Amino acid sequence: MQGDAGSHTYGPADLNVVPMAGCQTSEEAERSRLIAEKRSSRPGRIRFFLVLNLGLLLTAVAIVVFKAPNGFAFGGTSGLSIVLIKLYPSYPVSAFMWVINAVLVAFGLVFLDKRSVGWSVFASAALSAYVSLVERFVPVNTSITGDMWLDLCFAVILPAVGSAIVFDIGASTGGTDILAMILNRRTSLEIGKALLVVDVAIVLAAAVLYGPRVGLYCILGLFAKTLVVDGAIESLHLRKVCTVICSDPCAVERFIVRSLNRSATITPGYGAYSGRKVMQVMSVLSRREAMKLRRYVRELDPSAFMTIVNSSEIIGRGFRA
């Protein structure tokens, strides 16, 4: 009996939804437009720069404090650097990151146009600088917790969150991303498979140099990193797709447009059991907005039927551009 909310029988007039554009004042319409543009706009330069550096700093802390002391080489430039410090222990991990990133940047400038590698060049240099900075102020040679499993958790979570917030603003952490762009432009290799092969090779090298126990942790970290990054990105973009069937759909429509400054799609339907005509009001909202709508609908019509579904891929006005 889903959708048979209330005992009201809808007539033909109920299917004629009044567009809220005709009910808004010019000031309300302009405010809604500005709010929608702000929600879907790209981050400003200052915010972009701050978020990018925050993500790089989290990654640097994870490399110095949790990865390097345990030999956790999950791939990428940091993983290769951790492998190399086992062979050349007199050098810090930042020294190898500077060299490797410099080589990748040089290749990027040769094989790619400067605009394509602009932020990647900055990210590569900034990450190396942050690693050097953390090494200077937080010199760590052994596990700070004494628990390899706990170190592994933070070695995965910190750079995953850092990468997620960097990817969210359309940037990257540099390093092997430059290699990915070169492969994409210059070869027919599948980028994902090519980079996975490189990461697996680094993990195997770590297993040989640091022992099978560390190698197995690295394999676990390599797969966990991908899952955590994907999960973090989805969490940043998580929205609620709300569908409401109640006795007063016009009131719900007004609340969504005027109070939440969102829009909605209204679809006529029929209850399968009763055959009554119903109006389905569907809107995509943030978590906080969905909570406000749920409270409003409950107060408006206690017998209302409402579904709330998670979605992280919302593209359009008021959301991701």
Side-chain angles (χ1 to χ4, degrees), residues 89-261:
S90 59
Y91 295 96
V93 66
S94 60
F96 292 108
M97 289 193 65
W98 277 110
V99 173
I100 296 169
N101 282 326
V103 171
L104 288 174
V105 166
F107 275 112
L109 294 175
V110 170
F111 293 105
L112 299 170
D113 58 276
K114 293 182 180 180
R115 181 175 295 181
S116 297
V117 297
W119 280 112
S120 293
V121 170
F122 171 81
S124 298
L127 180 58
S128 301
Y130 281 132
V131 171
S132 298
L133 193 66
V134 175
E135 282 179 336
R136 182 174 181 178
F137 290 99
V138 190
V140 179
N141 295 317
T142 59
S143 171
I144 63 171
T145 66
D147 186 339
M148 188 172 283
W149 173 251
L150 185 60
D151 286 346
L152 178 67
C153 292
F154 282 93
V156 170
I157 292 172
L158 285 180
V161 172
S163 297
I165 62 177
V166 168
F167 294 156
D168 183 57
I169 59 173
S172 73
T173 54
T176 50
D177 291 336
I178 297 175
L179 179 61
M181 287 189 286
I182 294 173
L183 291 172
N184 186 38
R185 295 282 184 88
R186 301 291 176 173
T187 72
S188 59
L189 291 174
E190 293 185 29
I191 296 174
K193 290 183 179 179
L195 293 179
L196 179 61
V197 169
V198 174
D199 289 344
V200 170
I202 293 172
V203 168
L204 292 177
V208 172
L209 294 173
Y210 288 94
R213 182 166 178 258
V214 173
L216 290 174
Y217 272 112
C218 289
I219 293 172
L220 183 62
L222 179 62
F223 288 102
K225 179 182 71 173
T226 304
L227 296 175
V228 175
V229 170
D230 289 344
I233 292 174
E234 287 190 4
S235 179
L236 289 172
H237 290 291
L238 187 66
R239 296 294 182 268
K240 302 289 186 175
V241 182
C242 305
T243 304
V244 180
I245 301 174
C246 68
S247 59
D248 192 354
C250 290
V252 175
E253 177 193 9
R254 286 193 299 271
F255 179 80
I256 292 173
V257 174
R258 290 181 171 174
S259 299
L260 302 181
N261 291 295

Side-chain angles (χ1 to χ4, degrees), residues 66-81:
F66 298 106
K67 286 187 175 182
N70 293 285
F72 292 153
F74 303 154
T77 56
S78 63
L80 182 56
S81 300

